[in-house]
Amino acid sequence: MFRYQNNRLDCDGVDLEQIAREAGTPCYVYSARAILDAYRDYDAAFGSLPHMVCYAVKANSTLAILSLLARAGSGFDIVSGGELHRVLAAGGDPSRVVFSGVGKTATEIEFALEKGVGNFNSESEGELALIDEVAGRMGKVAHFSLRVNPDVDAVTHPYISTGLRDHKFGIDIEVAEAVYHRARGFKHLRASGVSCHIGSQILDYAPILEAAGKVLALVSRLQSAGLPIDHVDLGGGLGIAYQAADQPPAIQKFIADLSARIEESGLRVMVEPGRSIVGNAGVLLTRVLYRKKSPSKEFVIVDAAMNDLIRPSLYEAHHEIMPLRHAPELNRSVVDVVGPVCESGDFLALDRDLPDIQPGEYIALGSAGAYGFVMASNYNSRPRPAEVLVENGTWRIVRRRETYDDLIRGESA
Ligand SMILES: *Cc1c(COP(=O)(O)O)cnc(C)c1O
């Protein structure tokens, strides 16, 4: 975890300024301990209930992180063939993988079946027909769940809410039952579960419990009709604290409440947490390049930008700004922290009351472990940052910074 010791910010006892100097900036730093602690919180909270925690790879798909989780016994929730490739490269067990996503291609389905992916979470009849066709051609039977849309409001940012009737995700829960029945006609499919995922950064999990209730009711109707449903998958979405005012529920409490609803059904339960496993396990380190005053504003220009961390620009997300050296004696000013990209939307923090950190000094952006590096781009031909893992009191680079040659790889003039 990240905290000040002797006025210097560290990660599990490793000084972050040393990492910034040696690895360069911008640079993501992750705590292996924080990631494993969160995973184990999920796993342990289920107790004796049959369960599988499938880490949502899209939150952070860096190989070293997938490998940590694979060794801890995690399953994986993927949304593309590329994510499956990563999970396999990291030593993940394909039988513990669920393939989610609203638009899988024939190539991706074939790749997943060839590697023995455990379950497809499907979101349309058209896709079921395609999975059946590909499985038939390969002489296999594919296990599937329908992702149902339970029409509950997850009360989060509109871009990351997914469970309302007019969202593109899932199949309306009222219609799903008929789809399961029609799917009995597909000879190479087996209906083994029902899944849902209603949104992300959910701070009040009552809507997830409400969705679980609707899903369980559907399962019992399907079982009465003779369908071999043996599990429910309740997705991810638990929120984290981006700032002190956010009060996310403890993982243990959330899972205990969820388990209490499911126990009686005898079903196996799956969850697909992403953000709540990696979000607070990472920071983005950046160096102050310049300070600049306009008549109405003061800017701190840093070497990280929206291409490295897009959440502030995309979702107006808040990330705490922590100087790597805590200097209570400094004057303070209200500033915008901005990057070098040529867009007015390129900011990391707006109107923040911060100590007057000077060019050459470093800051960390907190809670950057989820939807950080994975959304990084090369916009403005900026090489993507390095990534560092802190583990057992030492650190290592787990992805080197991109070079200029990386930027033009695969292109021809
Ligand atoms: C994004 C996503 C998740 C993970 O969501 P978090 O908010 O990061 O926990 C899980 N399941 C599905 C289907 C998703 O699309």
Side-chain angles (χ1 to χ4, degrees):
M1 283 304 200
F2 301 90
R3 56 179 185 162
Y4 286 99
Q5 300 235 63
N6 304 321
N7 287 330
R8 296 168 76 94
L9 191 65
D10 79 25
C11 173
D12 300 332
V14 175
D15 182 44
L16 287 172
E17 188 168 312
Q18 188 200 343
I19 295 177
R21 288 191 190 286
E22 291 179 25
T25 52
C27 168
Y28 280 93
V29 179
Y30 309 112
S31 157
R33 183 193 297 170
I35 294 167
L36 290 175
D37 281 354
Y39 167 74
R40 289 180 184 134
D41 280 351
Y42 271 102
D43 192 43
F46 282 108
S48 59
L49 192 70
H51 67 276
M52 182 156 71
V53 179
C54 292
Y55 167 68
V57 173
K58 77 173 193 277
N60 186 323
S61 58
T62 297
L63 283 190
I65 290 177
L66 300 182
S67 160
L68 264 184
L69 288 164
R71 280 179 277 137
S74 183
F76 296 95
D77 170 59
I78 60 166
V79 292
S80 71
E83 286 190 350
L84 176 57
H85 182 67
R86 285 184 166 280
V87 167
L88 296 172
D93 172 358
S95 73
R96 296 173 63 78
V97 169
V98 292
F99 196 164
S100 300
V102 70
K104 303 169 195 75
T105 66
T107 311
E108 289 177 315
I109 293 165
E110 186 174 339
F111 179 44
L113 285 170
E114 178 193 312
K115 296 298 177 189
V117 158
N119 200 82
F120 289 85
N121 285 352
S122 184
E123 308 200 13
S124 65
E125 281 190 87
E127 190 182 88
L128 283 184
L130 182 58
I131 298 171
D132 179 64
E133 182 195 317
V134 176
R137 198 174 349 113
M138 297 172 77
K140 302 199 179 225
V141 171
H143 288 239
F144 78 95
S145 306
L146 287 184
R147 173 170 172 182
V148 300
N149 188 327
D151 196 30
V152 299
D153 187 354
V155 197
T156 182
H157 190 284
Y159 287 6
I160 51 177
S161 174
T162 56
L164 284 171
R165 189 159 277 160
D166 58 358
H167 291 139
K168 74 173 177 184
F169 297 101
I171 294 180
D172 193 294
I173 195 159
E174 304 294 328
V175 181
E177 195 168 347
V179 177
Y180 274 102
H181 286 296
R182 284 199 290 277
R184 292 173 131 169
F186 293 124
K187 292 289 162 273
H188 310 283
L189 296 185
R190 183 186 165 92
S192 59
V194 177
S195 79
C196 77
H197 169 76
I198 62 169
S200 198
Q201 185 54 13
I202 295 170
L203 292 172
D204 169 6
Y205 60 75
I208 303 183
L209 299 183
E210 188 189 340
K214 292 187 174 187
V215 165
L216 288 171
L218 172 62
V219 170
S220 70
R221 293 197 298 276
L222 295 172
Q223 287 178 327
S224 309
L227 281 150
I229 307 289
D230 64 16
H231 76 270
V232 288
D233 178 344
L234 297 165
L238 194 67
I240 61 167
Y242 282 97
Q243 49 191 317
D246 296 336
Q247 301 278 323
I251 291 169
Q252 294 94 325
K253 172 131 188 3
F254 165 54
I255 294 301
D257 280 357
L258 197 61
S259 298
R261 318 239 152 175
I262 293 160
E263 241 154 25
E264 227 178 88
S265 69
L267 293 165
R268 195 161 65 102
V269 58
M270 283 158 51
V271 287
E272 304 167 345
R275 187 191 312 269
S276 53
I277 289 190
V278 290
N280 273 331
V283 295
L284 174 60
L285 304 184
T286 180
R287 185 165 53 96
V288 176
L289 299 175
Y290 308 103
R291 295 184 71 94
K292 164 168 143 171
K293 265 195 168 114
S294 78
S296 59
K297 276 219 176 258
E298 183 160 7
F299 297 98
V300 174
I301 302 164
V302 299
D303 67 359
M306 66 187 289
N307 73 295
D308 303 302
L309 178 66
I310 202 174
R311 298 189 69 261
S313 308
L314 186 60
Y315 310 122
E316 299 170 314
H318 177 103
H319 289 267
E320 285 294 321
I321 304 256
M322 298 170 284
L324 295 197
R325 290 180 194 225
H326 178 60
E329 72 284 0
L330 286 182
N331 291 329
R332 301 180 72 91
S333 319
V334 174
V335 298
D336 285 0
V337 179
V338 301
V341 161
C342 303
E343 296 273 348
S344 298
D346 177 31
F347 55 81
L348 297 169
L350 297 178
D351 295 323
R352 270 324 152 78
D353 180 9
L354 293 176
D356 289 343
I357 14 177
Q358 294 304 310
E361 294 174 0
Y362 297 97
I363 58 177
L365 285 121
S367 309
Y371 307 106
F373 188 94
V374 281
M375 288 188 170
S377 76
N378 293 121
Y379 187 42
N380 279 208
S381 286
R382 289 169 52 83
R384 290 182 303 166
E387 292 180 288
V388 162
L389 187 69
V390 174
E391 192 176 14
N392 301 326
T394 62
W395 63 276
R396 64 181 201 277
I397 292 177
V398 292
R399 184 200 304 258
R400 65 162 173 78
R401 183 178 311 287
E402 284 180 337
T403 62
Y404 288 156
D405 277 341
D406 289 331
L407 292 180
I408 56 174
R409 177 151 304 128
E411 289 186 49
S412 40

